[in-house]
Amino acid sequence: SVSSVESMFPDVKTMAEKIEMPNKNFSYGTAGFRDNASILDGVLFRTGILACLRSIKTGMNIGIVVTASHNPEHDNGIKIVDPDGGMLDRSWEAFAEALANSKPNQIYSVIADICDKEGINKKCFNIA
């Protein structure tokens, strides 16, 4: 539930409110999220949350790759790497997009939806 998520992550909404999000819809593909680095801060923050949830779900380490340096500015990106070193499981791509595009006042309900659909609950966080 949303109230459970709020109790597990009390500062997420406040932190999300501090990061300016452009009025743009981000999509996740085989290359992750791609765009100009100057507008990806909020996406990176939200991708970190998704990586935590994915790690809890799998019980394994999840990676986040930030691409930049040699790429053209519009090809900067953020990608989640699953435990086998491959791409994020396709079943989680919609979760990535929902979270990346969530407004601060929606972030807890999006996290709660992911937790509900994937069976992630307080026990997974070792919270009574």
Side-chain angles (χ1 to χ4, degrees):
S1 73
V2 173
S3 61
S4 294
V5 170
E6 287 182 37
S7 68
M8 290 186 287
F9 305 106
D11 298 323
V12 166
K13 181 181 175 193
T14 303
M15 293 168 68
E17 289 171 337
K18 293 179 181 181
I19 304 168
E20 186 174 333
M21 288 290 287
N23 187 18
K24 178 181 177 135
N25 189 37
F26 293 96
S27 59
Y28 193 95
T30 56
F33 293 109
R34 292 274 187 220
D35 216 308
N36 186 309
S38 67
I39 63 170
L40 290 175
D41 290 350
V43 174
L44 181 58
F45 171 71
R46 288 159 173 80
T47 301
I49 294 168
L50 188 74
C52 290
L53 295 173
R54 183 85 177 129
S55 180
I56 290 164
K57 174 65 178 179
T58 64
M60 302 178 82
N61 293 327
I62 299 296
I64 297 177
V65 177
V66 177
T67 61
S69 65
H70 66 280
N71 294 326
E73 200 170 73
H74 64 276
D75 273 341
N76 287 285
I78 304 161
K79 181 192 280 191
I80 297 177
V81 180
D82 260 350
D84 64 0
M87 298 183 309
L88 174 67
D89 188 280
R90 283 198 169 169
S91 66
W92 278 64
E93 289 181 6
F95 296 150
E97 289 180 359
L99 201 48
N101 292 301
S102 65
K103 305 291 183 219
N105 65 342
Q106 301 167 320
I107 201 162
Y108 285 130
S109 61
V110 173
I111 294 169
D113 183 55
I114 296 167
C115 290
D116 289 345
K117 288 179 178 171
E118 291 298 317
I120 301 169
N121 56 40
K122 284 187 174 187
K123 290 180 184 175
C124 295
F125 294 95
N126 294 318
I127 298 172

